[in-house]
Amino acid sequence: MLEDAEVARLKALMEWEGRRTAPPKGFPKLPDMPAARYTSEEYFALEQQHIFRKSWLFAGHIDEIPEPGCYMRWHNAGDPIVIVHGMDGVVRAFYNTCRHRGAPVVTQDRGKSSRLMCGYHNWTYKTDGSLVGVPERQDFPADFDLSCRGLIPVRCEMLGNVIFVNFDDEAMPLTEWLGPLMNEWDEFAFDRVRLAARHSFELKCNWKVAMEANMEVYHVPFIHPDTVAPLVDSKRNLNTIYPNGHARMLAPAPRQTDREHVRAIDSPPGWQQIETVGELGRTCTQSYTLFPNWVSPLSNYFVPPLVFWPTSLGTTRLELVTMALDWGDAPAPDLWTVPDDSQPNGRQMSPIILEDTQFGEAIQHSMQSAAFKSVPLSYQEARIYSFHQTLDRMIGIENVPDGLRVEPVIDERWVWPNDPRVEEMATGV
């Protein structure tokens, strides 16, 4: 939770941002980014190999596997995984691949069992992954060791009730990956929020095209004049870059708007507030990018991540998730979708999400043209540039072809806890 002095500093910086007439002194000029980062099959393959195999990824919520023995299939990052609420109470993840001849251990999206049994030859595993049953055991060698043939685990850790996975056995722990976000997110009750809604939609654009629409407020007055603009003063927007590729945007409402009484993005009256949320979460739009593919505003009503999963170079699966405190007998809150019987799942993206995604397919098509050569970004779009720097750093700059690299010009001076804007604000020079 943010200390009072930090809240005061952030409020002062937002006002300073609204008064400045140029980027902060010393902020680097952002070189154009190579356009092919959005259209290159080679770069897409590098992202799959190095980003989505080495980052902590949102997998689900404990409400999806609420009791010991419950399991769910998960395959948003390629390899099939089963996430299991163990009989011992521990949540684990495993490759959904039998150690015999590779058949899936579970074939239903969700289920409950004290054992996981492959339907091909009935090899049977405990919920901790250990192999405990092999039919016709006498036909295997006498020294056939069941203890070394359990399900292969995938790193799995939890932030409160939220489940994350990581394919990299050498990855830092989730709490270290989150860094300062652990403290800042403490007030949002990750250990108490329930899963209210989770829906997926297919987009016809590169995952970065879709995600980056949620990583700057430059577009807000033009794309969201009646939805987001009444809540967000884009002139007083304050961006913060964190270690490991994460970032935050913080913006008050326009001066003529009392955000406490305008809830276009938040909830209608009667839904339960998270009482521990501080002043900024109640009065400002506070949105976090959790590298690599989660963007979420956090408020005193919701933890509602938008999660962007690349399904091909030019397609994305967008997951729209709403988490909130227990809503009792009221309808489950759903921040990002609305009923629509014409859709296969009976839901449609909300007006705000439709506004953000409306140009994705056209943008991707336009990017394929010979006219799309490079991407110039402004200071207000620095979170996007920093995000791309992190992509290259995790891939390994030596692995990125020369024509696809971004120059790492945003250095540690501009990464939390450092912030040269504080001194410029204080001195006025």
Side-chain angles (χ1 to χ4, degrees):
M1 185 174 295
L2 296 175
E3 300 291 337
D4 290 345
E6 176 66 2
V7 171
R9 185 180 73 89
L10 292 173
K11 290 170 64 176
L13 278 168
M14 284 188 281
E15 297 303 318
W16 177 84
E17 287 278 0
R19 295 190 302 269
R20 64 175 175 79
T21 58
K25 295 183 185 303
F27 188 79
K29 178 183 177 182
L30 302 178
D32 283 18
M33 297 195 310
R37 294 173 71 87
Y38 300 90
T39 59
S40 163
E41 290 282 4
E42 183 177 11
Y43 194 78
F44 178 76
L46 291 171
E47 291 173 342
Q48 297 304 294
Q49 179 183 356
H50 295 279
I51 304 301
F52 286 90
R53 304 296 298 185
K54 299 177 182 179
S55 301
W56 284 101
L57 306 171
F58 168 74
H61 189 283
I62 193 64
D63 283 354
E64 296 172 281
I65 48 170
E67 300 174 350
C70 291
Y71 62 82
M72 60 182 284
R73 292 196 302 177
W74 188 86
H75 48 78
N76 281 339
D79 285 352
I81 288 176
V82 57
I83 300 172
V84 184
H85 191 153
M87 299 304 293
D88 58 359
V90 177
V91 174
R92 300 178 176 88
F94 304 98
Y95 287 94
N96 187 19
T97 305
C98 181
R99 297 297 302 280
H100 177 214
R101 286 170 58 189
V105 176
V106 300
T107 57
Q108 296 177 313
D109 285 339
R110 286 181 176 80
K112 184 178 181 181
S113 176
S114 61
R115 294 287 189 271
L116 304 177
M117 186 171 68
C118 173
Y120 196 5
H121 298 94
N122 281 22
W123 279 36
T124 303
Y125 304 85
K126 294 173 66 175
T127 57
D128 65 3
S130 57
L131 177 62
V132 293
V134 174
E136 309 297 343
R137 176 70 179 82
Q138 71 277 4
D139 288 337
F140 288 86
D143 60 354
F144 187 76
D145 187 358
L146 273 63
S147 68
C148 64
R149 298 184 185 272
L151 296 175
I152 295 178
V154 174
R155 292 279 298 279
C156 181
E157 296 184 18
M158 299 188 67
L159 175 63
N161 290 331
V162 183
I163 305 166
F164 288 85
V165 296
N166 193 318
F167 291 95
D168 183 4
D169 290 339
E170 303 301 319
M172 66 181 69
L174 176 62
T175 55
E176 186 178 343
W177 174 256
L178 292 170
L181 272 58
M182 281 294 296
N183 176 59
E184 295 185 19
W185 284 10
D186 184 58
E187 64 187 70
F188 296 102
F190 275 74
D191 60 339
R192 292 187 289 135
V193 291
R194 296 191 57 202
L195 180 65
R198 184 176 185 178
H199 302 287
S200 295
F201 298 86
E202 303 304 316
L203 306 178
K204 295 181 180 180
C205 61
N206 183 268
W207 70 285
K208 299 187 296 299
V209 170
M211 183 169 164
E212 288 167 13
N214 298 273
M215 294 173 65
E216 44 88 1
V217 296
Y218 187 19
H219 72 286
V220 166
F222 318 111
I223 301 299
H224 306 294
D226 300 316
T227 52
V228 181
L231 295 180
V232 175
D233 186 341
S234 57
K235 297 293 186 183
R236 291 189 285 162
N237 175 67
L238 175 67
N239 289 322
T240 302
I241 297 169
Y242 295 98
N244 300 323
H246 315 314
R248 179 190 63 200
M249 65 83 64
L250 184 62
R255 295 189 189 280
Q256 68 272 23
T257 302
D258 182 355
R259 182 175 167 84
E260 291 275 16
H261 297 90
V262 178
R263 291 293 178 183
I265 298 180
D266 292 324
S267 78
W271 288 0
Q272 188 174 354
Q273 292 196 49
I274 303 172
E275 71 285 352
T276 52
V277 171
E279 178 184 354
L280 297 181
R282 295 193 312 269
T283 62
C284 297
T285 295
Q286 187 171 216
S287 182
Y288 286 85
T289 304
L290 178 61
F291 190 87
N293 64 333
W294 152 313
V295 178
S296 180
L298 298 178
S299 77
N300 52 326
Y301 282 96
F302 296 113
V303 175
L306 293 76
V307 192
F308 299 84
W309 299 105
T311 52
S312 74
L313 174 62
T315 59
T316 300
R317 179 179 300 114
L318 170 58
E319 276 199 295
L320 301 175
V321 182
T322 302
M323 293 180 272
L325 293 186
D326 196 323
W327 48 91
D329 296 330
D334 188 337
L335 184 60
W336 298 129
T337 76
V338 295
D340 186 341
D341 293 336
S342 69
Q343 299 299 314
N345 63 357
R347 308 293 297 185
Q348 178 56 280
M349 293 183 285
S350 70
I352 291 173
I353 303 300
L354 286 173
E355 289 167 354
D356 271 329
T357 58
Q358 62 183 309
F359 298 125
E361 183 175 0
I363 290 172
Q364 190 67 33
H365 183 70
S366 181
M367 283 179 166
Q368 304 293 336
S369 76
F372 185 56
K373 299 182 181 299
S374 63
V375 180
L377 295 176
S378 70
Y379 165 68
Q380 273 298 333
E381 298 163 297
R383 283 187 294 154
I384 295 175
Y385 196 94
S386 175
F387 167 75
H388 280 262
Q389 285 190 186
T390 304
L391 290 175
D392 282 6
R393 184 168 62 250
M394 284 200 67
I395 291 170
I397 195 68
E398 68 282 359
N399 297 319
V400 181
D402 289 343
L404 294 175
R405 297 174 184 173
V406 295
E407 297 181 40
V409 297
I410 301 178
D411 60 29
E412 293 301 314
R413 291 176 299 165
W414 299 93
V415 177
W416 185 98
N418 303 315
D419 193 339
R421 294 172 297 187
V422 175
E423 181 177 357
E424 184 176 348
M425 176 181 65
T427 62
V429 296

